[in-house]
């Protein structure tokens, strides 16, 4: 019996697992092979952290819940294949404190000895870590270890800020930029990679000893690069030059915009720079202006509610609100609605910050606070342009809300967004802004709350039977498992080991009928309004998420992460 097998049996006894659970795991082992303990972890019979802590005591090896991500040596990435490390779930960590190899299975002696020999490290300490931590570290180090980045960083050491600043042609194609300044090439690399990875944001976050670069992909942040502290100033200056910001001002926040072209894509980038304890923190939000405008049928709404929404957006007047947190797809939904009703017979005017999509046949106004062109002031001017439909990018204050309500009461159909958690809370928010309940009830005709959820990668998603606690989180009856299959994320090269690829939306659509309007006149309590709407047939965000879980599109974990109810 191997050390691992002996330990597995001891651990099974220690956790007091049922014979049935062990028997099922052994059947899977006989069919697929692999470690019995790994199978029990996959089946959630035992927790991986608990197993590793027990291993730590058994084998006398330290367990690291988190692996260091700063000042790591990356030279080994030239000599060790990434597939080898992922297969054996181990990663070398060269730090100032010493050299370590993080492993998930300390009994894989042969692979460990081979790695030591390849590395040539004289003294190495073995530590235990979770699979997730090890795989994240491997991806991070090999991304850092790419030859192009090493070359840029090496060339940038010792360069002054003045030597790397050069003019950039307006809307030049980054793929054709042959500038030799290393910082320019590094910024171009970050931007082109972000577009290729479908990233919506790039974060450059300075810390005491390094600068971390992260991409937000499908709503989740991932570490991409760990840059030396010495290039922080050059990097910030380059981005400021591109965004026409003041490179000498490092004490105050600044906002700017960059227009670039990468291949056949026109990318609008909003730049935000703020001062922090360790230097300027920069966030770039990427918007693909060449992206196609969705139709209502592309949003993932079921047929019955799609018909209801189509009827609502063809109303002659009233306010339709789309609500949700930043980045939940509100603007995409509004544009889909506008594209549905857009025709030569009606006059549509929008006021936005920023204009995210160009639409033919629609007048679009860009908010500009520098010249006092706010939502409220722009909206006042729009109503004198004989519009049939008005889109207000966001209702941020009482003044904008009041003008929007007055516009709807004078025969205009108004679309807008609010930042609230659900549909019912929007009523409370408007009343908190100072709107009279009778004005809200007489003007608002529908409120749509939405969230974006990640879709499971079709290449690697795996079926499983969730426990009662998981099902209860999203309100799924166990009897539904007789006719439906539940899937969870796994991770593969096609989805960058995330287990997800792409996003879809879940919706909560509150149609304000006469009973709801009467209730709003009596109370602004969101819970009462929500309860009443549910009794009238409203499908909640969680219920819509449950539909997509049962359809195999997403996971229980993802719906719970996004809704948090």
């Amino acid at each position: 019996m191997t050390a691992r097998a002996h330990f597995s049996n001891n651990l099974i006894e220690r956790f007091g697992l049922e014979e049935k659970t062990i028997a099922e795991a052994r059947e899977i082992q006989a069919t697929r092979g692999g470690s019995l303990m790994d199978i029990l972890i996959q089946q959630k019979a035992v927790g991986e952290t608990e197993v590793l802590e027990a291993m730590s005591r058994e084998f006398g090896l330290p367990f690291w819940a988190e692996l260091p991500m700063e000042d790591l040596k990356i030279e080994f990435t030239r000599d060790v294949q990434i597939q080898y490390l992922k297969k054996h779930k181990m990663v070398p960590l060269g730090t100032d404190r010493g050299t370590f190899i993080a492993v998930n299975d300390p009994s894989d002696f042969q692979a460990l000895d081979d790695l030591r020999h390849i590395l040539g490290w004289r003294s190495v300490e073995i530590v235990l870590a979770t699979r997730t931590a090890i795989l994240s570290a491997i991806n991070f180090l090999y991304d850092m270890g790419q030859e192009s980045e090493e070359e840029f960083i090496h060339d940038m050491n010792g360069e002054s800020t003045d030597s790397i600043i050069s003019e950039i042609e307006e809307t030049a194609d980054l793929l054709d930029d042959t500038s030799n300044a290393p910082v320019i090439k590094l910024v171009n690399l970050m931007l082109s990679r972000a577009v290729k990875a479908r990233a919506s944001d790039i974060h450059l976050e300075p810390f005491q000893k390094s600068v971390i670069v992260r991409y937000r992909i499908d709503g989740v942040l991932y570490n991409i690069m760990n840059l030396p502290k010495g290039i922080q100033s050059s990097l910030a200056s380059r981005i400021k030059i591109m965004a026409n910001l003041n490179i000498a001002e490092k004490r105050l926040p600044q906002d700017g915009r960059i227009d670039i072209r990468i291949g056949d894509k026109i990318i609008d980038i909003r730049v935000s720079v703020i001062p922090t304890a360790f230097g300027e923190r920069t966030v770039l939000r990427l918007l693909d202006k060449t992206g196609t405008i969705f139709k209502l049928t592309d949003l993932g709404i079921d047929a019955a509610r799609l018909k209801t929404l189509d009827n609502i957006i063809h109303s002659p007047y009233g306010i339709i609100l789309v609500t949700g947190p930043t980045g939940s797809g509100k603007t995409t939904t509004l544009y889909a609605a506008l594209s549905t009703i857009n025709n030569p017979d009606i006059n549509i005017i929008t006021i936005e910050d920023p204009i995210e999509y160009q639409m033919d046949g629609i007048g679009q106004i860009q908010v500009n606070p520098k010249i006092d062109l706010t939502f409220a002031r722009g909206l006042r001017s729009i109503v004198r342009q004989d519009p049939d439909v008005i889109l207000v990018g966001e209702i941020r204050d009482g003044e904008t809300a009041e003008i929007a309500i007055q516009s709807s009461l004078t025969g205009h159909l108004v679309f807008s967004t609010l930042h609230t958690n659900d549909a019912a809370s929007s009523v409370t928010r408007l009343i908190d802004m100072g709107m009279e309940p009778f004005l809200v009830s007489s003007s608002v005709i529908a409120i749509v709350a939405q969230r974006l959820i990640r879709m499971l990668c079709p290449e690697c998603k795996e079926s499983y039977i969730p426990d009662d606690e998981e099902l209860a989180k999203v309100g799924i009856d166990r009897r539904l498992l007789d006719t439906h299959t539940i899937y969870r994320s796994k991770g593969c090269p096609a989805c960058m080991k995330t287990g997800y690829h792409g996003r879809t939306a879940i919706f909560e659509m509150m149609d304000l009928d006469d009973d709801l309007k009467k209730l709003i006149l009596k109370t602004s309590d969101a819970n009462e309004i929500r309860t009443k709407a549910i009794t009238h047939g409203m499908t909640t965000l969680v219920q819509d998420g449950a539909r997509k879980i049962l359809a195999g599109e997403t996971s229980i974990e993802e719906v719970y992460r996004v809704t948090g109810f």
Side-chain angles (χ1 to χ4, degrees), residues 200-263:
S200 60
D201 301 85
I202 304 173
H203 291 231
L204 282 76
E205 304 172 359
F207 295 98
Q208 190 169 9
K209 295 182 179 179
S210 64
V211 178
I212 303 294
V213 179
R214 300 199 287 171
Y215 289 173
R216 188 179 293 280
I217 303 170
D218 290 335
V220 178
L221 283 169
Y222 297 95
N223 283 353
I224 303 298
M225 302 183 210
N226 190 345
L227 304 176
K229 186 72 172 176
I231 70 171
Q232 177 182 325
S233 178
S234 301
L235 198 59
S237 295
R238 173 59 186 164
I239 292 171
K240 284 182 178 181
I241 286 292
M242 295 176 74
N244 294 316
L245 300 178
N246 182 358
I247 64 169
E249 180 56 75
K250 299 183 179 181
R251 301 165 300 172
L252 295 172
Q254 295 188 72
D255 294 314
R257 199 168 262 129
I258 305 171
D259 281 320
I260 61 170
R261 184 162 56 87
I262 298 180

Side-chain angles (χ1 to χ4, degrees), residues 388-407:
D388 298 295
V389 178
I390 301 169
L391 185 147
V392 184
E394 182 185 344
I395 294 178
R396 295 178 178 173
D397 51 50
E399 185 181 9
T400 308
E402 184 179 0
I403 302 168
I405 287 175
Q406 293 300 332
S407 300

Side-chain angles (χ1 to χ4, degrees), residues 505-516:
I506 54 175
F507 295 91
E508 179 176 283
M509 199 178 300
M510 190 169 80
D511 186 2
L512 270 69
D513 56 23
D514 291 340
D515 286 346
L516 277 173

Side-chain angles (χ1 to χ4, degrees), residues 190-202 215-220 222 265 267 286 288 454-455 457 494-496 498-503:
M190 283 193 300
L191 293 173
S192 59
R193 265 197 191 173
V195 172
K196 184 179 179 181
R198 302 176 296 107
S200 60
D201 301 85
I202 304 173
Y215 289 173
R216 188 179 293 280
I217 303 170
D218 290 335
V220 178
Y222 297 95
K265 294 180 180 290
I267 310 296
L286 281 63
D288 185 358
R454 294 179 294 170
M455 299 176 71
C457 173
C495 60
M496 297 174 58
T498 63
Y500 298 92
H501 189 275
R503 290 191 288 179

